[in-house]
Amino acid sequence: MKTVTALALFSGGLDSILACRTVAAQGISVCALKFVTPFFGHELLADEDKFRQETRRKYGIDAELIDLSAGYLELLRRPAHGFGKNFNPCIDCKILMLRRARELMAERGASFLISGEVRGQRPMSQQLDTLQLIENKAGCQGILLRPLSAKLLSPTLPEQQGWVDRERLHAFAGRGRKGQLALAKELGISDFPAPAGGCVLTDPILAARIERFYNGLFAIKPEEITTEDISLLLLGRQFRLPGGFWLVLGRNERENERLAELRGPDDWLLHMPERSGPLALLRRAEQHGNDELAAAAAGLAVRYGRKSETGFLDPAEVLLERHRDGQVLHSVEPLPDPVFQKWII
Ligand code: SF4
């Protein structure tokens, strides 16, 4: 008999692990899709093989990464179903993921979809009417199986077709996790991430920063926002300089390296060649940047640099790298704190 295949929405959290394992235990071939955007999971793209191997080793699940960045940046501009407590558009996020999963079904030879949603677990996106809304808007009526709450929901195609035995699915509901933890124990799964981690759009501080960014914090239009912009926004010390210019300073060697990687053709870079300190990146400065801007950025680089042997923040040389040329700024004084306090984001 031909093996039936299902695609799963896989966040990597316990519920999605259990959903995959519950269905796989019934002889279904499950392919777990881990959607990533600059707001969640993006760092995994740096080494997808490692992610796949770890998911297989820890949970016995075959998974792959799907980069959803482009559509997601646009979605955040105006999500049809609004935001949750922070800048998290959970309903539209799930619709987008489900739509993408549905589009992949034919290519992967899949007959249905799986998600680890639990009825009533989250106020915004997991109430019964919202679960139905998400399913309908994503065009997944009847083909989306939610194994953890299936017994509390209408039978879906895989149950009706007899591919999956409804009796071996679950009836979990609400915020409690007792049932899931017991099931994890039964399946020998102990090493799983803490709940509600991983999405910066639910982090009050970072979500507020991202929201301000989308609302014109810098001289950047929402339609111009890129994946690299979001990565930059979540990195280092952030400043809004006069004129709406955006400056990021690395706080350590790793962040300095990352800043250099994220540099775009219109960005300026500044650093002190002869003293340890931050790399400073002035985003999109090439067109409208001027000497005053470069001086402010250089003063901040010195201010956050290492003190000299005298124990003071002595003036230092700063190298300014523009798109086509470079310039040495001599004897740059550290910028006094009262000048830039109001620029800190
Ligand atoms: S918490 Fe983040 S990843 Fe999860 S549904 Fe909401 S917006 Fe999407």
Side-chain angles (χ1 to χ4, degrees):
M1 206 171 81
K2 190 172 163 275
T3 308
V4 176
T5 299
L7 296 183
L9 265 59
F10 183 74
S11 69
L14 179 60
D15 291 346
S16 65
I17 297 167
L18 295 177
C20 290
R21 289 287 299 270
T22 296
V23 174
Q26 297 204 27
I28 305 291
S29 166
V30 174
C31 173
L33 307 177
K34 165 84 178 159
F35 291 99
V36 300
T37 74
F39 310 99
F40 45 87
H42 209 249
E43 67 291 347
L44 298 172
L45 288 171
D47 194 346
E48 179 164 2
D49 282 348
K50 185 173 165 219
F51 164 77
R52 283 173 179 248
Q53 282 161 16
E54 278 192 2
T55 310
R56 169 129 279 288
R57 180 178 55 79
K58 282 189 188 168
Y59 312 123
I61 293 171
D62 289 321
E64 65 178 280
L65 299 175
I66 308 283
D67 189 353
L68 214 54
S69 300
Y72 210 94
L73 292 174
E74 200 183 320
L75 179 156
L76 261 189
R77 281 158 54 189
R78 207 173 301 121
H81 300 90
F83 294 98
K85 199 165 147 212
N86 297 297
F87 200 50
N88 49 316
C90 291
I91 295 176
D92 291 288
C93 174
K94 291 200 166 162
I95 293 171
L96 184 68
M97 290 181 190
L98 270 176
R99 274 193 192 140
R100 186 79 186 99
R102 181 171 54 79
E103 285 163 12
L104 289 169
M105 282 176 67
E107 192 183 300
R108 310 295 159 94
S111 304
F112 66 102
L113 301 173
I114 304 168
S115 93
E117 290 157 305
V118 171
R119 183 174 154 177
Q121 187 183 65
R122 300 247 169 90
M124 183 181 182
S125 59
Q126 297 191 359
Q127 299 304 322
L128 184 58
D129 53 349
T130 319
L131 290 179
Q132 276 161 356
L133 174 109
I134 290 171
E135 192 175 317
N136 292 344
K137 292 275 178 185
C140 296
Q141 299 95 319
I143 57 165
L144 174 60
L145 176 66
R146 295 168 166 121
L148 303 189
S149 291
K151 284 181 173 170
L152 306 172
L153 302 168
S154 304
T156 56
L157 180 80
E159 296 157 274
Q160 289 160 344
Q161 292 291 324
W163 303 328
V164 167
D165 178 1
R166 184 172 170 89
E167 284 314 304
R168 292 168 63 198
L169 302 175
H170 307 286
F172 300 146
R175 300 175 73 87
R177 300 181 57 79
K178 237 167 125 186
Q180 285 98 312
L181 292 173
L183 179 60
K185 199 167 171 200
E186 195 184 310
L187 295 171
I189 298 166
S190 54
D191 181 12
F192 49 84
C199 175
V200 297
L201 297 169
T202 58
D203 176 296
I205 294 170
L206 294 175
R209 186 188 291 175
I210 297 163
E211 183 173 9
R212 288 179 70 199
F213 185 63
Y214 264 82
N215 290 330
L217 175 63
F218 304 113
I220 296 171
K221 295 189 190 111
E223 61 272 23
E224 294 169 354
I225 293 173
T226 64
T227 305
E228 289 75 21
D229 284 330
I230 302 299
S231 300
L232 269 178
L233 195 63
L234 302 175
L235 192 70
R237 296 179 206 279
Q238 303 275 327
F239 300 87
R240 184 188 189 277
L241 269 47
F245 286 99
W246 179 13
L247 176 80
V248 189
L249 295 185
R251 288 173 296 193
N252 50 45
E253 208 45 47
R254 195 187 56 78
E255 288 190 350
N256 284 348
E257 281 167 18
R258 187 72 186 121
L259 276 177
E261 282 167 18
L262 289 168
R263 180 190 183 183
D266 294 337
D267 300 344
W268 289 355
L269 274 187
L270 301 99
H271 66 101
M272 292 180 288
E274 287 167 4
R275 194 184 299 169
S276 302
L279 193 67
L281 185 143
L282 265 170
R283 192 72 165 156
R284 298 187 174 97
E286 188 68 20
Q287 216 181 339
H288 300 294
N290 50 32
D291 290 349
E292 213 178 314
L293 178 70
L300 276 166
V302 177
R303 161 63 182 81
Y304 282 96
R306 183 170 293 172
K307 290 177 179 153
S308 66
E309 281 164 9
T310 61
F312 292 99
L313 283 169
D314 291 336
E317 250 184 20
V318 175
L319 185 65
L320 165 65
E321 292 177 28
R322 287 180 294 239
H323 178 49
R324 288 183 212 288
D325 57 9
Q327 181 186 346
V328 177
L329 307 173
H330 297 284
S331 295
V332 176
E333 297 273 355
L335 210 62
D337 289 18
V339 174
F340 69 81
Q341 286 302 321
K342 56 184 180 296
W343 301 348
I344 297 173
I345 289 162

